[in-house]
Amino acid sequence: MLTTLLSLPTTLALDVNDEGRLLVLYDGTGTRQVNEVAPDGTWRALTDLDDTCRNARFVSGSRQVVVEHDTGGDERGQLSLLDLDEPLVLTPLVHDPAFKHGLVEVTADRVLFTTNRRNGTDFDLIAHDLATGDESVLYDGGGWPMTVDPSPDGKWAVLSLAGVQANSTQLLLVDATTRSVTELTPYDAQNDLKAVSWLPGSSGFVAASDADRDRMALRQYDVADGTWSDLLVDDEHDLAGWVCPDGEHLLVATIDDGLVPLALHRLEDAALVAPLDLPPLGCGARGMMMPDPIWSADGAFALITYHSPIEPPTVYRYTVATGEVVAMRRPGTPKVPAELEHPESHRVPSFDGEQVPVFVFRPTGPDLGSTVIHIHGGPEAAAMRTWYPVISGLAAAGHTVVVPNVRGSAAYGKRWYSLDDRELRLDSVKDLAAIHAWLPSIGCDPSRAALWGGSYGGYMVLAGLAFQPDLWAAGVDIVGIASLVTFLENTSDYRRATREREYGYLATDREFLESASPLSRVDDLRAPLLVIHGANDPRVPLSEAEQVTAALTKRGVPCKLLAYGDEGHGLAKLANKLDAYPQALAFLQEHVS
């Protein structure tokens, strides 16, 4: 079953041109490649690289495409030009393998991209002239613009930079002509902003913001008078919105305990027009790094990348006039196994009275009586009710899988995602102990419980095993952090600049960072451990995996490291997934089943 699930293809929407042609990322060949979907539903593969494509955009008014791609998962994106009327050969456009380039926007005459080539740490916003190759700097004021949203008329760009603490955002408004910068939110503001969406006339934009409240509301900014106003507020849920180019409508996402339904609203007063008829119990936006909805230029339809625990990421086309929602699947796409199930939602009381949201996937195969706690990365991300082939594979193998949103997770309010910051780091690990104590209430044997997680989730696996050695039977750590100190010392410069605000600063917080590191308690760690890591990981270096496995091997603790030379922060290539994850299931079969 696991091989079948891992092999099911996924599709992500990237762009649509004036002819109604779509650009999508499709991984049916084993890596994510750019495909074009014609209006008649015909698919055409545009790239066939050994490595993963990350993004692509049409050049307006032409048959050219700009593609962002990296090498071996190193995340150092390079930009190439593809002429669709010629043999499909990528021509270098912006290439410097030593640095990271991020595609922002492509028009008829220019490409906007971000790059850290100036000093390796800060990212500048650059305009590349397609006719001459000349480049002009639009912003070089420092920081890492996590997103850049140009206005429809090309005059403005909104930059979202990391703020003073985790999950805080500073918005800057850049004048593309004068390069003047207006601070829309202060650097030290303790609020987050996401999903900037410009009004058609470039007079302002809509953004999701939790300024002065616990949840993300939709707020509107007016460029002329520099004022913010509330557009749509829901005190119980986070919201996100995307303005329709027709100037009359707004697509609104409501994040509700891991679900993300979409609805069409009027832009003028945010009144509900109609919910979208997407499949139930899934996510139409804002889940697991999926693309946001993409409007056609005339606003007649939107492309939505939808997924759920029983459906891989799939592009749906939503037509405003009729309300019709149609899946844009590649012909011959295999069906998903019918036995997949949606999870249950629970709340777990923790050590201080807080309630930890968890999803429980019951075994769909013969019940082994074992439990796997699957912890998401981030930490300020969230486990959503989305496509997790590994989780479904664990359930099919007979495990009960518990997927928590421990404190520090997003999508449950500002207060919740702030409860693990800096000196509160180990409180999130205490949430794992609370989940362990709660397992008998859902019929699970706590003596046969294992931890599984990637990235920050990998840190949580190692921390659980090290700080709670009597609780856990085994662990699977994927690209996880063994030492917060060595992680910050050895991660990419641009990553360190943003991650210190979450974990603490090497210059001032080293003692705490050492005390909160699993490696500081590695002599207490005795549960068998499997570690999976990419050799080219620019976020969590391979040295994190090597040092923890070396320490356990020296003490005779069963452990194994699977390192992949052509991967980065996680496994992107199907061949490597089919090698690593069956070994991980066999490891659990041996130690907790």
Side-chain angles (χ1 to χ4, degrees), residues 521-526 550-557:
R521 301 282 289 273
V522 74
D523 288 343
D524 294 330
L525 199 159
R526 55 180 179 268
L552 294 181
T553 299
K554 183 177 180 180
R555 290 180 43 239
V557 176

Side-chain angles (χ1 to χ4, degrees), residues 203-261:
S203 62
F205 58 84
V206 172
S209 169
D210 60 9
D212 303 319
R213 51 175 53 94
D214 189 54
R215 295 289 186 162
M216 304 286 286
L218 293 184
R219 306 198 73 204
Q220 185 167 323
Y221 180 79
D222 187 290
V223 173
D225 59 21
T227 59
W228 290 92
S229 59
D230 287 344
L231 181 62
L232 185 62
V233 177
D234 183 338
D235 290 334
E236 301 299 322
H237 303 100
D238 287 340
L239 303 177
W242 298 272
V243 175
C244 180
D246 67 6
E248 298 180 5
H249 297 102
L250 177 72
L251 202 58
V252 176
T254 302
I255 295 85
D256 183 10
D257 193 28
L259 300 173
V260 189

